[in-house]
Amino acid sequence: MSYLRNTWYVAGWAKELQPGALLPRRLLDEPIVLFRDGTGTPHALQDRCPHRLVPLHKGKVLGDAIQCGYHGLQFDGHGACVHNPHGAIPRAAQVRSYPLIERHSMLWIWMGEAALADPARIPDFGFQDPERFHVGADYLHVRSNYVLEIDNIMDLSHTEFLHATTLGSSGISQGEYRAERDGDTVWSRRVTQAEVMSDELSRSMGIEPGTPCDRWLHVRWNAPANMALFAGAVPAGQPRDPSRETPTSHCFTPETASTTHYWFGITFPKSLGEAGAQAAAHNIAYIRAPFEAEDLPMLEAQQGLVGDVDLLSLKPLLLAGDAGAVHARRVLTRLIEEESRPS
């Protein structure tokens, strides 16, 4: 499968990578190991010792380096061998390193040419700044291709049917929808009027249960599959209030052609104090339940039917709500094609 490589992918939540620990991940069909050096700076290396080709994550962190657990060679965060207990350091004792940046409570990895890694190209998930927000962070492993996940989040009309008693309502399909492109950024915008949500969803959005409300669901997509959902609701007929908006992150990184890492989060301002921390913890658990029990089985069943094909080449029946996902697929296809052209 062809992946877009000269771009930033999420490799994990920053809190997943603890000092002194080794965190193995398979990303874009490549084995990666993450670790923090003595200053806490995160690093990413190919998870393969060049000596006997064993996984480096079977070793341990020693100061600023990983010590291979088989024969003791040590590699720093740049992949250079800094110690050979058996003698001189061989010239070929080098492990590939990947640019890795900690930002927005996440670890961002560049899987392409290191010289092209521009931190300014990391998408803006400033609403997950841990200094200003309580971040409810979670993860799911999905047995489906990441492109199916793009389709799923970009077209939230499915919430009326797949999440009828949790995240959706009978008013979703009657709402207003439009898709927009701003350069290579795609927006999928949905607004409903006089919608009556489930009691639990109403409470989570600050609406008295049973009250008709006007709700907005605006999804921002950046290649390859990093999405932010800005959702809010007000009692029907009232002006939209930005303070009633709760952002969530939905970031997908391919593990293989048929499996995907899914990191998702929800945030509340630290100005709310302990109430904000409790809201983040409660709401991340609330949204995880339908993701895990309803989205995952549907996407995995979908993957089982389409099988091992290039999903970007498929031409399924399209409905009005597919416009955002179509724009995203077109941008992603173009970027992959441009990257594959000989320079």
Side-chain angles (χ1 to χ4, degrees):
M1 178 177 182
S2 296
Y3 299 111
L4 184 64
R5 294 190 173 273
N6 289 320
T7 189
W8 292 101
Y9 287 90
V10 173
W13 289 106
K15 69 178 184 179
E16 291 183 85
L17 188 57
Q18 295 298 309
L22 293 170
L23 181 60
R25 286 270 147 84
R26 180 167 287 274
L27 307 174
L28 282 62
D29 283 310
E30 296 184 18
I32 308 292
V33 61
L34 311 176
F35 76 103
R36 294 186 184 274
D37 64 22
T39 68
T41 302
H43 298 279
L45 300 179
Q46 185 178 47
D47 192 11
R48 183 181 298 138
C49 179
H51 173 221
R52 292 289 181 84
L53 308 182
V54 300
L56 285 173
H57 77 262
K58 294 293 187 179
K60 60 184 177 182
V61 178
L62 286 181
D64 293 335
I66 296 179
Q67 182 186 66
C68 178
Y70 201 9
H71 292 91
L73 274 69
Q74 295 179 30
F75 301 91
D76 67 12
H78 302 289
C81 183
V82 293
H83 179 64
N84 174 18
H86 310 282
I89 297 175
R91 185 174 299 177
Q94 179 78 27
V95 177
R96 179 183 176 184
S97 65
Y98 300 79
L100 187 71
I101 292 179
E102 183 173 344
R103 185 178 293 180
H104 309 320
S105 299
M106 289 177 157
L107 298 169
W108 297 86
I109 190 169
W110 184 274
M111 299 294 291
E113 297 180 43
L116 300 179
D118 181 1
R121 291 176 57 185
I122 294 176
D124 182 8
F125 285 85
F127 59 82
Q128 290 183 166
D129 178 356
E131 299 299 318
R132 297 183 295 125
F133 296 93
H134 295 291
V135 181
D138 211 337
Y139 167 84
L140 287 169
H141 182 257
V142 190
R143 295 188 298 274
S144 74
N145 185 280
Y146 78 107
V147 174
L148 299 180
E149 292 283 10
I150 296 174
D151 296 344
N152 187 55
I153 301 297
M154 291 297 279
D155 177 18
L156 293 177
S157 68
H158 75 267
T159 59
E160 178 174 341
F161 308 98
L162 192 60
H163 307 305
T165 62
T166 52
L167 305 177
S169 78
S170 59
I172 296 291
S173 61
Q174 303 306 309
E176 301 173 2
Y177 175 78
R178 72 179 189 276
E180 301 171 352
R181 272 185 62 178
D182 180 9
D184 286 343
T185 296
V186 178
W187 285 89
S188 182
R189 302 183 184 273
R190 187 174 296 276
V191 178
T192 63
Q193 284 84 35
E195 176 187 1
V196 179
M197 302 181 293
S198 70
D199 289 355
E200 179 69 13
L201 183 58
S202 294
R203 281 190 287 267
S204 73
M205 301 188 76
I207 300 291
E208 183 68 24
T211 302
C213 66
D214 298 336
R215 178 162 59 141
W216 60 94
L217 300 163
H218 299 328
V219 182
R220 186 197 69 206
W221 173 90
N222 292 101
N226 298 310
M227 288 168 277
L229 167 59
F230 302 92
V234 294
Q238 291 190 9
R240 176 178 168 182
D241 182 356
S243 70
R244 303 288 292 273
E245 185 171 85
T246 301
T248 57
S249 58
H250 304 268
C251 297
F252 302 94
T253 299
E255 180 184 51
T256 68
S258 59
T259 57
T260 300
H261 299 290
Y262 178 18
W263 287 280
F264 58 99
I266 190 167
T267 64
F268 290 84
K270 283 196 170 179
S271 60
L272 297 175
E274 183 58 26
Q278 293 176 358
H282 172 79
N283 281 278
I284 196 66
Y286 174 68
I287 63 176
R288 178 191 174 94
F291 291 171
E292 188 170 29
E294 297 164 354
D295 284 294
L296 261 65
M298 185 65 75
L299 289 162
E300 291 173 355
Q302 185 182 17
Q303 178 67 47
L305 280 179
V306 299
D308 187 18
V309 299
D310 180 4
L311 290 169
L312 291 173
S313 68
L314 293 180
K315 300 185 183 299
L317 173 70
L318 297 177
L319 303 178
D322 293 313
V326 169
H327 281 305
R329 281 175 174 248
R330 288 174 177 169
V331 171
L332 185 56
T333 298
R334 174 178 57 78
L335 292 174
I336 292 174
E337 289 176 347
E338 289 175 353
E339 188 174 274
S340 64
R341 290 173 190 158
S343 55

